[in-house]
Every structure is written in structure tokens, then in C-alpha cells.
Amino acid sequence: MAFSKITPLCLPFLFMICMNSHAQSGNDQKNPDVKSIVLSKQYAFLVQSATTKKGKTIHLTPGYGLILKDDSIYVHLPYYGRAYNTGYGTNEDSGIQFNTHDFTYTADSAKKDRWEITIRPKGVKVTVMYLSISSGGYCTVRINSNDRDPISYYGSIEGYPGH
């Protein structure tokens, strides 16, 4: 299957592959190559927990995350919080799930031992995603959208398989 033809149904499978390779590489070690991973724009964010606007933290099972691969972004994250203006009876509002090639990406390493990344996807309900990545490969993702309360996710990043 070509990478550009990934469907939302395949995303959990891809995240499981990333989680498996992450577990095999030893997730207790610091990732010395975070800078090259961030600059390559080819990485997976493997989520471990979500924190709602009200401060409730939910620990998540493997299978959720975000994949950035060159000019494409694939997002499969659960959503907990208040949604405004939702469509009833559709599967599109069950979490934050989208694939797009139309987005802006800026990376800033102004803070010591930390990368601040801003992703602004176009044509989806998410308006902006902020990634804060430590030199050890740990990451916090904050997501804002027009019709939902903001939410944050915590996890780690690793180079996308093949990087």
C-alpha cells in the first residue's frame, strides 16, 4: 500500500508498528538524535495520556498518535472534552482523526534542549497543533480547534520507520 493512500482505518495499525519498534529500542534511553528527527519532518508521536481543559488526565492504550511524513500528516487521537457544533450520528466526530497534505510547519529550537513546533492544518476542524519536544524525545501536543475545547497529549516521538 502506498503511503499516500493510507486510510484512517490503517492508522491504529501504523501506530502499533511504531510502538513495537519503540519498545524494542528501549524507551528508557534518551534519544540523542531528536534534532535530526525533528529536522527530517519524518516522525511519529506515540501518545501515552491525554489531559482535558479541566485538568483530567486519561491514560491511553497504544494505537493513538500522529505521524508526520514529509508533506503529509496523519492524526488518530481520542478526544475528551466539550465539543460545540458537532454532527450527530457520524463517525467523523469520534476523536481527532484526519489526513492532510495541506498544512504549515514551523520548528524553533530557541529554548535550550527543547523544540517548539507549530502545525497549522488547513481544511480540517483542527486550527493549530503545538508540539513541545524535549531533547530526550518526550513530547507534549496541544490541539486547538474552533468547535472543541483544547486538549493536550503526552508521549514520545521517534523517527518514522525508514528514517
Side-chain angles (χ1 to χ4, degrees):
M1 171 189 323
F3 186 77
S4 62
K5 299 195 186 229
I6 293 178
T7 64
L9 296 174
C10 296
L11 289 174
F13 179 70
L14 286 173
F15 290 116
M16 292 299 287
I17 291 171
C18 290
M19 284 297 292
N20 186 35
S21 65
H22 182 69
Q24 290 175 357
S25 67
N27 55 4
D28 291 336
Q29 299 175 346
K30 285 199 166 203
N31 188 348
D33 206 19
V34 170
K35 180 179 179 179
S36 67
I37 290 171
V38 170
L39 293 176
S40 75
K41 291 174 50 176
Q42 296 188 49
Y43 54 86
F45 166 66
L46 310 171
V47 67
Q48 297 170 355
S49 64
T51 303
T52 66
K53 178 182 174 184
K54 294 184 177 186
K56 182 178 180 183
T57 299
I58 299 104
H59 295 280
L60 302 172
T61 58
Y64 294 107
L66 173 154
I67 294 175
L68 183 71
K69 178 91 166 101
D70 296 323
D71 66 344
S72 302
I73 190 165
Y74 304 91
V75 178
H76 177 70
L77 296 166
Y79 181 76
Y80 305 96
R82 185 171 179 189
Y84 311 91
N85 224 5
T86 63
Y88 295 98
T90 67
N91 289 335
E92 293 178 19
D93 289 322
S94 61
I96 300 171
Q97 299 179 33
F98 65 89
N99 306 335
T100 187
H101 301 287
D102 192 9
F103 63 94
T104 61
Y105 179 96
T106 57
D108 182 18
S109 64
K111 293 185 179 180
K112 184 180 178 184
D113 296 331
R114 181 164 297 283
W115 284 88
E116 300 295 331
I117 296 173
T118 303
I119 300 172
R120 295 184 186 279
K122 298 174 184 163
V124 298
K125 292 184 178 186
V126 170
T127 55
V128 64
M129 298 185 298
Y130 300 104
L131 286 74
S132 182
I133 304 170
S134 74
S135 61
Y138 298 103
C139 183
T140 300
V141 175
R142 294 174 290 132
I143 297 182
N144 294 340
S145 62
N146 289 332
D147 61 353
R148 293 181 177 182
D149 281 344
I151 188 166
S152 297
Y153 301 91
Y154 176 78
S156 60
I157 68 160
E158 68 174 43
Y160 188 79
H163 166 66

